[in-house]
Amino acid sequence: MVKKLPEASDSEPIMKACFKRILVTGGAGFLGSHLCDRLVEQGHDVICLDNFFTSQKNTIEHLLNRPNFELLRHDITRDIWLEVDEIYNLACPASPVHYQYNPIKTTKVSVVGAINMLGMAKRTGAKIFQASTSEVYGDPEIHPQPESYRGNVNPIGVRSCYDEGKRCAETLFFDYHRSNGVNIRVVRIFNTYGPRMHPYDGRVVSNFIVQALKGENLTIYGDGSQTRSFCYVDDLINGFLALMDGPDSFPGPCNIGNPGEFTVQELAELVVEMTGTGSEIIYMPLPADDPTQRKPDITLAKEKLGWEPEIPLRQGLEKTIDYFKSVDLDSFRQPTSHTAHKSTEMEKGVS
Ligand code: NAD
Ligand code: UDP
């Protein structure tokens, strides 16, 4: 029997239910791999593109035999020709130690990479999502940070390659939207943690947990009074999907993060308590331009997307500690030998 075709007025919901061809750049990274999981589970045809600078195949190896998952080794600073319906642009080193390792490349990934992906979106008519960051607020003078805050970024410091690169990417997204009608979404991500963070990624949550599990000293940079607001990865991915599938009239920028604010000292003490480690907490110099405070104002996400985080820090840390206990820490290659203090020392002329 031939199925009756839908009436024209019925076609929109049917289109929405259709599976899409979705490109995830940086798809093998920490956040990208969780996003690929969700999109593959939803039945979409997912292309994961990555150059494996800060990741390894083990984050996505469980997806490799899925018929609706495809892996491409490619660098987004180079042109690529694909036919897709949606693009999530996540490719970029996210940890300060790795984005400062080759700062010029970091700016290129953010800017040239965004131009390449926006060009693809313009050609194919794909909707495109940009993983921006709370770093666009720099060392914020307004607390918590709403999207309307224009930030306090040092344009020539050691973090600028990332901060200004991401700010320029936001500019490009909105100019492609205004000038070419590209359908965009821009999310500003606040510190996110969870399983599949690279153990030698250099970010604070993975550093503290791995140090605690190995019985090494937990390294606090500065006096530990600086604050961050930590979001569990599952909450963040819910926010990504809510923004991408939300109304075109709300392209963002939209803060996604957990407003629960902790000092780095509090985080270190919590990790020591939860892992039961005998490790000591030690203090090292604060790297240049390290923001003193950070907390998202998520009013917009709540109002426009009905999104808010559900997983408190202790619960998320439990899952993350279990993850790091379950992996062979020696099977990971350190992405770079860069340290949090190298760029600062070079800036001061210390060798
Ligand atoms: P990650 O380092 O784990 O993942 C980034 C991925 O991009 C890696 O797999 C890396 O190999 C890949 N990549 C880097 N340069 C590339 C290039 N030139 N071409 C192709 N692939 C490339 O970091 P993450 O935490 O998953 O972050 C993902 C995105 O989210 C980044 O754009 C980051 O700036 C943004 N973000 C993350 C956080 C966070 O807390 N995790 C906060 C703010 C913003
Ligand atoms: N930090 C720390 N010890 C570490 C790693 C980081 O004290 O081993 C501090 C870092 O100086 C910053 C905060 O923890 O103040 C968060 O650092 P991270 O690199 O995770 O992300 P950022 O928010 O700085 O991009």
Side-chain angles (χ1 to χ4, degrees), residues 96 159 191 203-204 207 219-221 226 228 264 290 294:
R159 293 174 87 105
N191 298 61
R203 281 180 276 189
V204 69
N207 267 12
T219 52
I220 288 186
Y221 303 156
Q226 71 271 38
R228 293 294 185 274
V264 168
D290 199 291
R294 199 184 275 155

Side-chain angles (χ1 to χ4, degrees), residues 26 28-32 49-55 74-77 90-94 105 109 131-134 162 166 189-192 201 203:
F30 162 48
L31 301 180
L49 181 157
D50 209 295
N51 72 349
F52 295 103
F53 173 38
T54 52
S55 56
H74 180 78
D75 186 318
I76 59 156
T77 61
L90 273 62
C92 185
K105 179 69 190 264
V109 177
S132 191
T133 167
S134 53
Y162 183 74
K166 290 284 188 178
I189 306 166
F190 284 66
N191 298 61
T192 301
D201 172 88
R203 281 180 276 189

Side-chain angles (χ1 to χ4, degrees), residues 1 38 67 115 145 196 239 262 333 347:
M1 198 179 95
R38 295 284 286 274
I115 291 173
Q145 295 82 53
R196 299 202 201 131
F262 296 84
R333 162 185 59 85
E347 192 181 40

Side-chain angles (χ1 to χ4, degrees), residues 264-276:
V264 168
Q265 176 77 35
E266 286 169 333
L267 177 72
E269 287 169 4
L270 196 54
V271 170
V272 168
E273 179 217 305
M274 291 180 68
T275 53

Side-chain angles (χ1 to χ4, degrees), residues 141-160:
E141 295 148 316
I142 290 185
H143 197 70
Q145 295 82 53
E147 290 83 349
S148 55
Y149 177 49
R150 292 184 187 178
N152 176 35
V153 175
N154 174 0
I156 57 165
V158 294
R159 293 174 87 105
S160 322

Side-chain angles (χ1 to χ4, degrees), residues 9 15 24 30 38 44 61 63 83 127 131 142 149 160 182 187 193 198 203 213 218 235 237 243-244 251 280 317 332:
S9 58
M15 286 299 290
V24 181
F30 162 48
R38 295 284 286 274
H44 298 296
E61 66 184 340
L63 294 173
E83 306 302 324
K127 195 196 298 187
I142 290 185
Y149 177 49
S160 322
V182 173
V187 65
Y193 68 99
H198 194 296
R203 281 180 276 189
L213 295 181
L218 272 70
D235 280 334
I237 301 298
L243 180 63
M244 190 61 149
E280 303 283 319
L317 282 180
F332 288 85

Side-chain angles (χ1 to χ4, degrees), residues 41-60:
E41 277 320 311
Q42 289 176 355
H44 298 296
D45 192 357
V46 176
I47 304 171
C48 165
L49 181 157
D50 209 295
N51 72 349
F52 295 103
F53 173 38
T54 52
S55 56
Q56 294 180 198
K57 274 195 196 141
N58 45 9
T59 54
I60 38 103

Side-chain angles (χ1 to χ4, degrees), residues 35 41 45 75-76 151 158 204 208 212 244 256 259 261 276 314 323 338 346:
L35 178 62
E41 277 320 311
D45 192 357
D75 186 318
I76 59 156
V158 294
V204 69
F208 285 176
M244 190 61 149
I256 296 285
E261 186 183 9
R314 187 177 274 275
Y323 166 75
H338 204 71
M346 287 189 301

